[in-house]
């Protein structure tokens, strides 16, 4: 609602004002009438009271006048005046007047301005104020003898009646106000409830409107008949308005859809101003936005017409303006904004003329008909194709009667159009296809709308010929067949060629046995049959032993005769349901079907062996060979296809040859599955390496003495897409002797150096140890690749890299390993022997391996507190390492007691979950800042009782070791001198 509406007073306000004015006016008039009536009543009462007092006074005063008792009748007059509130009571005493020498002695009382009575003085005015005196009455005072003794006069003043009227007026006004207020309240309540309330509900109902200004909700029903009729009438009107508006919107939407659907651009041309308003699909027609076309500047569509069409367009427009034609209808080419030309159909009509017959307004449309023009060209081309194509074409009606054929039809069948028009295509039937064939054809046409296939027809001269036929159904708007179009070609030559190719494609030209292609079809068919009937199929791959020497010795002609004869023998030795095929050279494959169990295969093999091993006379040369057989069976535990079965049989045949030839070998499916799984696992590792699924974790190595971080160990992890995170034990063992271990190792080295570079940029310089597999370490190019890799990271010093090798791998070729270690140490790279103690190294081997660090396997550390043997091994390793001057590091440290005992034994370095679990590279720096040495590590270990003897021996051995080290040191010094 706008501000002007809000500022207007409501209907209820108007109603209140009107009702108040009416009630106030009514009660005011009523009060005035009541006031006048009461005043008249008061006057009448006063007059009556005055007459009564006058009558009483005349009868009462007579005795006093007769007796000249002035004081007595003055008292009586005073009492009467005060009681009746007269203005004045005056007595004219004639008898007393005669005594005083006056016509009358006048006495009485008069009310003063202070509402008090004072005695009347002779000559005092009584009626000098009109407001003070209202009226007066008088009467003679008569004695009993009717003697006129005097006269009494009563004066009534205005203030008496005014006081009474004031009281009455006040009471009337208060009563009127009370009644008026009560009446107004009742009237306004019922007006609000019965009249204003429904009007407000109607106003609220029609206040909520949609974008078109139509109320969204209906007017509610009311209890009274008048408003109920009004609400029904308004709702009916709103329904009519909504329906009309909905119809208008539908019509408008349909019009827009027609314009959009037909890609029509509309325009309105004001001839006087020259301005053209564009709408519709002009953007698609000319490529300009509607806003750009409408301007400014306003673009004229006539400026986009091709020069060749502009003359005709201008001529038609001029005729339209001159009323020579009723409509402008012209096909023109318009230039698109991108520069190319489109075909457009323009139509226009003058909708407004001036009084002189000049056009004022023109409405028109332009429609892009480029696609229609292209369709017309296609139709013309189709007509040419229909006439000149080499394929025969038949067009039939919905009843399958021929209505049109092309020239190729006449050339192929010999029938002219006049001979077949009105006939059905059955005129060409040869009788080679039965009724079931045509039934399926019509079923396909009915369900799919088309059919394609080969059939035999008859020419006019009776000759039978094959044709390739395609029939399509053309449906009308009612989705019922309207026409049938058949396209066919004579494939006689193709069939003849196909027969020759079939022989070549399916049979071996030398032996006339089925070739590899036909073997595949028969093998697949045999597999399906075996599955369906729960039987077995045996696939036998055989290769002649020594056939190459026959060709080399006797020539290829003898070899060909030999192959032909062996092929015939094998065919004769096999059952009719079996297949023997030559797949190349001296290789043959036999498929044995209908086996009820795998045990049915071996009894059939001797016949094949005899057929291939008997002597053959070839051009006077007696030649004898043998054959090696590889056999596999179907079905198997895993689903396999025909190609897989042939590969299995081929593999088994090679196994037979390796076992000495002239024998057969059955394929082991379980062994192949294991190899297949292994290969698949290797492929997945290689794929994961290329897809960057591997990542490194780092486990710190620290000093037990001072908590110093002496380095980290790089540990590889695999984030498998389906199996999740995999540890090295899950995949390293399968590639230890494979080239993949080298790729993985190279990646670990490069990733480690890259991470060291990133840490160094952040101020963290440390050493990282990397495990090197034996297969990678023993490669001739290991050192060259390592040198090149270090050269790529010039900011990393070689001493920041440590290589770890397993004890068992170091002993495989200790001389070569020792040389590699020495070369690396010369560059600054240190070495560590991992899992030390798990192998069988002798002291001589340890002496020859110049590795700086020995890493104790975590299996010894894990049980050192509970296992005497492990503790003894630990003591021996630590003693041995100290004797040879090697650093020793314990793996798998988890408990404080382990650290205490290791320190006591002489091992100062370690790593394990008790220090830190392996962590991602991004978490290492934060860990180094938070890492603190546990002070309890330096406390004396609490050794169990059962370990005390062992501890004693450790002490003895330690002393012996110290003496040995001292002796070796002295001897070394002496030799030096």
């Amino acid at each position: 609602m706008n501000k002007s509406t809000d500022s207007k007073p409501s209907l209820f306000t108007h109603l209140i004002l009107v009702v108040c004015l009416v009630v106030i006016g009514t009660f005011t008039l009523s009060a005035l009438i009541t006031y006048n009536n009461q005043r008249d009543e008061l006057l009448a009462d006063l007059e009556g009271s005055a007459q009564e007092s006058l009558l009483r006074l005349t009868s009462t005063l007579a005795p006093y006048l007769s007796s000249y008792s002035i004081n007595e009748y003055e008292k009586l007059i005073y009492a009467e005046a005060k009681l009746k509130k007269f203005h004045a009571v005056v007595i004219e005493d004639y008898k007393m007047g005669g005594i005083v020498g006056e016509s009358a002695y006048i006495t009485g009382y008069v009310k003063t301005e202070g509402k008090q009575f004072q005695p009347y003085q002779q000559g005092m005015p009584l009626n000098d104020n009109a407001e003070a005196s209202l009226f007066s009455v008088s009467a003679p005072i008569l004695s009993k003898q009717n003697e006129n003794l005097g006269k009494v006069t009563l004066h009534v003043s205005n203030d008496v009646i005014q006081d009474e009227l004031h009281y009455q007026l006040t009471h009337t006004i208060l009563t009127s106000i009370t009644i008026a207020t009560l009446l107004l309240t009742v009237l306004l309540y019922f007006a609000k409830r019965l009249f204003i309330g429904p009007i407000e509900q109607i106003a609220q109902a029609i206040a909520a409107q949609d974008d078109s200004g139509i109320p969204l909700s209906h007017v509610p029903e009311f209890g009274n008949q008048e408003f109920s009729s009004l609400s029904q009438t308004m709702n009916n009107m709103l329904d009519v308005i909504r329906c009309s508006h909905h119809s208008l919107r539908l019509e408008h939407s349909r019009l827009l859809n027609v314009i959009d659907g037909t890609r029509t651009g509309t325009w309105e041309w004001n001839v006087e101003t020259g301005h053209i308003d564009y709408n519709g699909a002009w953007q698609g027609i000319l490529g300009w936005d509607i806003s750009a076309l409408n301007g400014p500047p306003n673009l004229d569509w006539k400026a986009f017409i091709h020069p060749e069409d502009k003359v005709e367009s201008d001529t038609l427009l001029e005729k339209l303006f001159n009323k020579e034609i009723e409509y402008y209808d012209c096909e023109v080419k318009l230039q698109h904004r991108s520069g190319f030309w489109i075909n457009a159909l323009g139509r226009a009509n003058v909708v407004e003329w001036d009084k002189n017959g000049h056009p004022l307004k023109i409405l028109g449309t332009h429609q892009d008909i480029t696609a229609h023009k292209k369709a017309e060209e296609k139709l013309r081309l189709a007509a040419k194709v229909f006439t000149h194509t080499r394929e025969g074409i038949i067009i039939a009606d919905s009843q399958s009667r021929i209505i049109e054929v092309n020239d190729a039809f006449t050339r192929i069948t010999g029938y002219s159009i006049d001979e077949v028009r009105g006939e059905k295509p059955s005129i060409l039937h040869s009788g080679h296809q039965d009724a079931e064939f045509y039934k399926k054809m019509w079923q396909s046409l009915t369900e799919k709308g088309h059919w394609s296939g080969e059939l035999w027809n008859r020419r006019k001269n009776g000759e039978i010929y094959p044709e390739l036929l395609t029939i399509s159904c053309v449906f009308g708007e009612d989705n019922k067949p309207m026409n049938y179009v058949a396209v066919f070609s004579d494939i006689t030559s193709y069939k003849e060629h196909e027969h020759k190719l079939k022989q070549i494609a399916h049979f071996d030209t030398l032996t006339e046995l089925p070739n590899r292609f036909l073997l595949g079809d028969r093998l697949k068919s045999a597999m399906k049959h075996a599955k369906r009937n729960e039987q077995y199929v045996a696939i036998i791959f055989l290769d002649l032993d020594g056939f190459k020497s026959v060709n080399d010795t006797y020539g290829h002609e003898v070899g060909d005769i030999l192959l032909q004869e062996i092929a015939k023998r094998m065919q004769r030795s096999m059952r009719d349901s079996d297949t023997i095929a030559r797949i190349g050279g001296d290789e043959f494959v036999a498929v044995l079907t209908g086996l009820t169990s795998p045990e049915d295969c071996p009894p059939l093999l001797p016949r094949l062996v005899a057929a291939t091993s008997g002597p053959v006379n070839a051009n006077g040369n007696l030649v004898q060979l043998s054959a090696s057989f590889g056999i596999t069976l179907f079905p198997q535990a895993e689903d396999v296809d025909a190609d897989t079965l042939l590969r299995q049989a081929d593999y088994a045949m090679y196994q037979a040859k390796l076992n000495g030839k002239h024998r057969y070998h059955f394929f082991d499916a379980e062994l192949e599955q294991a190899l297949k799984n292994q290969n698949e696992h290797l492929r997945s590792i290689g794929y994961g390496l290329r897809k960057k699924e591997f990542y490194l974790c780092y486990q710190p190595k620290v000093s037990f003495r001072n908590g110093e971080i002496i380095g980290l160990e790089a540990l590889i992890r695999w984030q498998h897409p389906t199996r999740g995170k995999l540890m090295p034990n899950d995949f390293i063992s399968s590639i230890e002797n494979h080239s993949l271990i080298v790729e993985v190792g190279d990646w670990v080295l490069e990733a480690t150096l890259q991470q060291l570079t990133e840490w160094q940029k952040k101020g963290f310089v440390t050493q990282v140890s990397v495990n090197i597999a034996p297969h990678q370490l023993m490669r001739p190019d290991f050192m060259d690749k390592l040198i090149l890799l270090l050269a790529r990271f010039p900011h990393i010093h070689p001493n920041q890299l440590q290589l770890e090798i397993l004890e068992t791998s170091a002993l495989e070729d200790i001389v070569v390993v020792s040389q590699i270690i020495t070369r690396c140490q010369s560059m600054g790279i240190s070495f560590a022997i991992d899992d030390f103690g798990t192998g069988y190294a002798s002291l001589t081997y340890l002496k020859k391996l110049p590795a700086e660090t020995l890493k104790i396997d975590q299996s010894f550390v894990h049980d050192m507190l509970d296992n005497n043997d492990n503790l003894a091994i630990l003591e021996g390793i630590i003693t041995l390492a100290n004797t040879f001057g090697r650093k020793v590091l314990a793996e798998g440290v988890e408990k404080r007691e382990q650290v205490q005992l290791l320190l006591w034994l002489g091992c100062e370095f370690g790593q394990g979950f008790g220090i830190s679990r392996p962590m991602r590279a991004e978490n290492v720096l934060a860990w180094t800042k938070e890492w603190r040495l546990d002070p309890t590590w330096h406390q004396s270990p609490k050794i169990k009782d059962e370990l005390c003897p062992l501890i004693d021996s450790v002490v003895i051995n330690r002393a012996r070791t110290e003496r040995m080290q001292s002796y070796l040191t002295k001897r070394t010094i002496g030799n030096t001198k």
Side-chain angles (χ1 to χ4, degrees):
M1 186 177 292
N2 54 34
K3 292 182 179 179
S4 61
T5 304
D6 292 337
S7 62
K8 293 180 180 180
S10 66
L11 179 62
F12 187 62
T13 304
H14 284 297
L15 183 62
I16 291 174
L17 293 175
V18 171
V19 172
C20 288
L21 289 175
V22 170
V23 173
I24 291 172
T26 301
F27 278 92
T28 301
L29 180 60
S30 175
L32 290 175
I33 295 172
T34 303
Y35 176 79
N36 290 329
N37 292 335
Q38 288 177 346
R39 186 175 184 279
D40 293 341
E41 290 177 1
L42 285 174
L43 288 175
D45 289 342
L46 285 175
E47 290 179 356
S49 178
Q51 293 294 335
E52 181 184 353
S53 295
L54 188 64
L55 180 62
R56 184 171 54 253
L57 286 174
T58 55
S59 62
T60 306
L61 291 177
Y64 295 109
L65 290 179
S66 298
S67 61
Y68 301 102
S69 301
I70 297 174
N71 289 333
E72 295 298 329
Y73 69 72
E74 283 183 350
K75 292 179 181 178
L76 182 62
I77 294 171
Y78 178 80
E80 188 69 26
K82 190 174 182 180
L83 177 63
K84 295 298 183 178
K85 298 181 181 179
F86 294 133
H87 176 65
V89 179
V90 179
I91 301 296
E92 294 182 18
D93 188 352
Y94 294 150
K95 290 183 72 175
M96 183 58 67
I99 295 174
V100 296
E102 295 290 339
S103 59
Y105 175 77
I106 301 174
T107 186
Y109 287 91
V110 179
K111 188 183 293 184
T112 65
E113 293 180 358
K115 304 295 183 181
Q116 299 296 324
F117 288 94
Q118 66 179 5
Y120 176 76
Q121 300 295 330
Q122 185 73 22
M124 183 179 293
L126 296 176
N127 297 314
D128 56 346
N129 189 351
E131 295 181 357
S133 179
L134 184 62
F135 66 89
S136 63
V137 293
S138 61
I141 302 173
L142 300 176
S143 65
K144 292 182 179 179
Q145 292 80 21
N146 286 327
E147 180 185 1
N148 188 5
L149 299 178
K151 184 176 66 172
V152 60
T153 303
L154 301 179
H155 294 270
V156 180
S157 65
N158 208 19
D159 56 352
V160 177
I161 192 171
Q162 283 181 349
D163 291 341
E164 186 66 26
L165 287 175
H166 178 73
Y167 170 77
Q168 293 293 337
L169 181 61
T170 303
H171 182 268
T172 302
I173 290 173
L174 293 176
T175 303
S176 299
I177 291 174
T178 303
I179 296 174
T181 303
L182 180 61
L183 181 61
L184 280 173
T185 304
V186 173
L187 287 176
L188 292 177
Y189 171 76
F190 283 103
K192 177 74 173 177
R193 180 177 180 86
L194 301 178
F195 179 69
I196 301 300
I199 292 178
E200 289 179 346
Q201 293 183 32
I202 293 173
Q204 291 175 359
I206 64 178
Q209 301 174 354
D210 58 16
D211 296 337
S212 303
I214 300 175
L216 296 174
S217 60
H218 280 73
V219 178
E221 293 288 338
F222 300 101
N224 56 72
Q225 181 178 358
E226 291 77 6
F227 278 107
S228 178
S229 300
L230 177 61
S231 66
Q232 291 179 3
T233 302
M234 293 184 69
N235 286 331
N236 292 335
M237 293 173 61
L238 289 176
D239 289 339
V240 172
I241 293 172
R242 290 191 187 97
C243 183
S244 300
H245 183 70
H246 181 66
S247 299
L248 289 175
R249 292 183 63 180
L250 286 178
E251 291 299 327
H252 183 260
S253 177
R254 290 192 187 101
L255 179 60
L256 291 179
N257 289 335
V258 169
I259 292 175
D260 292 340
T262 58
R263 296 180 58 81
T264 300
T266 63
W267 50 272
E268 181 179 334
W269 180 11
N270 188 323
V271 181
E272 286 185 330
T273 63
H275 185 82
I276 301 177
D277 287 329
Y278 295 91
N279 204 346
W282 277 103
Q283 183 172 350
I285 296 174
L286 293 179
W288 294 87
D289 291 337
I290 296 298
S291 58
L293 288 171
N294 287 324
N298 186 234
L299 301 180
D300 190 347
W301 60 267
K302 299 186 291 301
F304 298 99
I305 298 179
H306 194 280
E308 296 177 356
D309 301 329
K310 188 170 181 59
V311 175
E312 181 182 359
S313 175
D314 292 343
T315 301
L316 290 174
L317 284 175
E318 185 177 357
K319 289 182 177 181
L320 179 66
F321 291 169
N322 295 331
K323 298 185 178 180
E324 297 178 15
I325 57 177
E326 188 175 356
Y327 296 101
Y328 168 84
D329 194 331
C330 183
E331 291 186 10
V332 294
K333 289 189 289 293
L334 298 177
Q335 189 173 27
H336 195 270
R337 185 179 184 183
S338 301
F340 60 87
W341 296 92
I342 64 169
N343 296 95
L345 174 61
R347 291 191 173 98
N349 183 29
V350 179
V351 296
E352 187 175 343
W353 304 82
D354 64 8
K355 60 183 179 179
N356 297 322
H358 297 146
L360 294 178
K361 185 183 292 185
I362 303 175
L363 295 180
T365 62
H366 272 79
Q367 187 176 7
D368 186 353
I369 60 172
T370 304
H372 296 286
K373 300 297 286 187
K374 291 181 179 179
E376 289 178 1
E377 293 177 2
K378 289 182 180 179
L379 287 175
R380 287 193 292 270
L381 179 61
K384 292 180 181 179
V385 171
F386 180 80
T387 302
H388 300 95
T389 185
R390 298 290 297 172
E391 283 77 19
I393 300 176
I394 303 173
I395 301 177
D397 59 15
S398 59
Q399 303 299 320
S400 301
R401 291 186 293 266
I402 298 174
I403 57 177
E404 190 64 58
V405 297
N406 66 344
D407 296 341
F409 172 88
T410 302
R411 175 176 51 79
I412 295 173
T413 65
Y415 290 99
S416 65
I417 178 60
D418 295 331
E419 292 175 316
V420 296
R421 182 177 284 123
E423 299 289 340
K424 292 191 175 183
S426 57
I427 191 176
L428 304 175
H429 287 182
S430 64
H432 280 213
Q433 290 79 223
D434 55 13
E436 185 65 24
F437 175 86
Y438 290 105
K439 180 180 179 181
K440 291 181 179 179
M441 175 193 293
W442 280 105
Q443 183 178 358
S444 177
L445 281 172
T446 302
E447 296 176 356
K448 302 178 181 179
H450 62 86
W451 179 88
S452 181
E454 295 181 5
L455 53 76
W456 294 83
N457 269 345
R458 187 187 304 274
R459 308 185 204 273
K460 183 179 178 180
N461 60 10
E463 179 184 349
I464 305 297
Y465 69 97
E467 69 177 33
L468 181 62
L469 173 64
T470 298
I471 305 175
S472 300
C473 183
V474 180
F475 294 95
E477 295 181 356
D478 56 357
N479 204 29
K480 292 183 178 179
M482 185 173 62
N483 292 101
Y484 295 97
V485 179
V487 180
F488 65 94
S489 56
D490 186 352
I491 56 174
T492 302
S493 59
Y494 170 77
K495 282 293 185 182
E496 294 173 351
H497 185 62
E498 181 185 35
H499 179 71
K500 295 179 181 178
L501 290 178
K502 188 175 181 180
Q503 287 297 115
I504 297 173
H506 292 83
F507 292 91
D508 177 52
T509 55
L510 177 64
T511 62
E512 297 183 355
L513 293 177
N515 61 8
R516 182 185 291 271
F517 182 79
L518 184 57
L519 171 68
D521 286 345
R522 292 188 178 179
L523 178 55
K524 292 176 183 178
S525 177
M527 292 166 64
K528 292 180 182 178
H529 184 79
K531 268 192 173 183
R532 187 167 54 249
N533 297 294
E534 298 183 355
Q535 295 177 340
Y536 288 86
V537 177
I539 297 89
I540 304 172
F541 197 111
L542 63 96
D543 182 87
L544 300 179
D545 301 325
F547 179 74
K548 184 177 182 299
S549 61
V550 174
N551 280 335
D552 295 340
T553 303
Y554 301 105
H556 288 281
E557 184 178 355
V558 172
D560 291 345
I561 295 173
L562 177 63
L563 291 174
Q564 290 173 338
E565 181 59 29
I566 290 177
K568 292 177 182 178
R569 291 179 181 179
M570 286 192 295
Q571 261 189 321
R572 289 194 296 266
S573 68
M574 299 180 68
R575 301 169 300 174
D576 294 338
S577 60
D578 300 333
T579 296
I580 181 70
R582 181 183 179 223
I583 60 173
D586 59 343
E587 293 179 336
F588 298 85
V589 174
V591 179
L592 308 182
T593 61
L595 305 179
T596 58
S597 67
E599 289 75 16
D600 291 346
C601 180
L604 302 177
L605 295 177
R607 291 184 291 176
L608 276 177
V609 173
T612 55
S613 59
V616 176
N617 188 346
N619 286 347
N621 300 300
L622 190 64
V623 182
Q624 186 173 8
L625 297 176
S626 63
S628 298
F629 298 81
I631 307 157
T632 188
L633 297 172
F634 177 86
Q636 299 177 3
E638 300 288 337
D639 288 337
V640 292
D641 55 15
D643 293 336
T644 302
L645 292 173
L646 290 175
R647 286 196 300 270
Q648 292 177 354
D650 187 15
Y651 176 79
M653 182 271 295
Y654 276 106
Q655 294 299 316
K657 282 186 177 292
L658 291 175
N659 292 335
K661 301 181 181 181
H662 191 47
R663 66 189 65 237
Y664 56 82
H665 182 83
F666 279 88
F667 176 77
D668 188 345
E670 294 182 0
L671 176 61
E672 193 212 23
Q673 185 62 39
L675 294 174
K676 181 179 179 181
N677 293 339
Q678 173 68 11
N679 292 333
E680 181 63 29
H681 186 52
L682 293 176
R683 282 195 296 271
S684 66
I685 294 175
Y687 181 81
L689 194 62
R690 291 190 297 274
K691 292 296 182 180
K692 300 181 180 180
E693 295 173 358
F694 290 89
Y695 64 94
L696 294 180
C697 287
Y698 299 89
Q699 188 173 37
K701 299 182 290 185
V702 302
S703 169
F704 297 150
R705 293 288 183 190
N706 54 23
E708 178 187 359
I709 302 172
I710 63 172
L712 302 102
E713 182 180 2
L715 302 170
I716 191 170
R717 301 289 186 266
W718 184 8
Q719 190 62 41
H720 197 277
T722 57
R723 298 170 60 189
K725 185 174 75 173
L726 300 181
M727 305 300 286
N729 293 338
D730 297 324
F731 57 90
I732 291 297
S733 59
S734 60
I735 60 173
E736 282 181 334
N737 298 315
H738 194 273
S739 60
L740 271 176
I741 194 67
V742 179
E743 295 183 37
V744 173
D746 292 343
W747 176 83
V748 172
L749 282 171
E750 183 176 358
T752 300
L753 294 176
Q754 180 66 43
Q755 187 58 53
L756 281 170
T757 303
E758 294 180 7
W759 282 335
Q760 192 161 297
K761 290 178 182 178
K762 298 178 180 178
F764 179 60
V765 180
T766 188
Q767 183 189 70
V768 176
S769 59
V770 176
N771 290 278
I772 301 297
H775 191 69
Q776 181 182 11
L777 183 69
M778 303 300 291
R779 287 179 63 87
D781 60 348
F782 173 74
M783 286 303 303
D784 296 334
K785 290 172 66 175
L786 183 60
I787 293 171
L788 290 175
L789 183 61
L790 287 171
R792 290 175 52 195
F793 298 91
H795 299 293
I796 301 301
H797 195 276
N799 63 12
Q800 292 181 251
L801 179 66
Q802 185 182 62
L803 303 181
E804 295 185 9
I805 57 175
L806 293 173
E807 177 188 346
T808 53
S809 65
L811 300 180
E812 291 181 0
D813 193 338
I814 194 169
V815 177
V816 176
V817 173
S818 178
Q819 292 174 354
I820 294 174
I821 294 176
T822 302
R823 288 190 63 187
C824 288
Q825 289 173 337
S826 66
M827 296 168 55
I829 301 173
S830 62
F831 262 82
I833 297 179
D834 197 12
D835 295 346
F836 190 81
T838 58
Y840 305 96
S842 66
L843 296 179
T844 303
Y845 286 161
L846 184 59
K847 180 180 179 181
K848 290 182 179 180
L849 287 175
E852 295 91 337
T853 304
L854 302 180
K855 297 186 71 174
I856 303 174
D857 186 67
Q858 61 181 350
S859 61
F860 302 121
V861 177
H862 182 268
D863 296 331
M864 64 182 294
L865 299 176
D866 303 308
N867 189 301
N868 294 357
D869 294 337
N870 282 354
L871 186 60
I873 293 173
L874 276 175
E875 190 272 336
I877 294 173
I878 295 170
T879 301
L880 190 64
N882 292 331
T883 300
F884 283 90
R886 308 294 170 83
K887 184 188 296 184
V888 62
L889 184 144
E891 294 181 316
V893 176
E894 297 182 358
K895 301 177 181 178
R896 180 185 61 189
E897 292 80 2
Q898 293 173 338
V899 176
Q900 294 172 345
L901 187 54
L902 285 169
L903 275 172
W904 192 81
L905 292 172
C907 175
E908 299 184 1
F909 307 102
Q911 66 184 92
F913 288 177
I915 301 167
S916 171
R917 290 179 177 270
M919 68 189 92
R920 293 265 195 168
E922 56 266 23
N923 299 326
V924 170
L925 294 181
W927 182 88
T928 59
K929 295 177 181 178
E930 297 176 358
W931 160 250
R932 296 292 183 272
L933 177 67
D934 187 351
T936 61
W937 287 3
H938 294 157
Q939 297 177 2
S940 301
K942 297 178 180 179
I943 308 301
K944 294 183 178 179
D945 295 338
E946 60 267 20
L947 296 180
C948 289
L950 183 60
I951 298 302
D952 294 338
S953 65
V954 170
V955 174
I956 296 171
N957 290 336
R958 180 175 298 172
R960 187 185 303 115
T961 301
E962 291 176 353
R963 291 195 299 272
M964 179 64 70
Q965 287 179 339
S966 177
Y967 169 76
L968 292 173
T969 303
K970 292 178 180 179
R971 183 176 179 182
T972 302
I973 295 173
N975 292 336
T976 303
K977 293 179 179 180

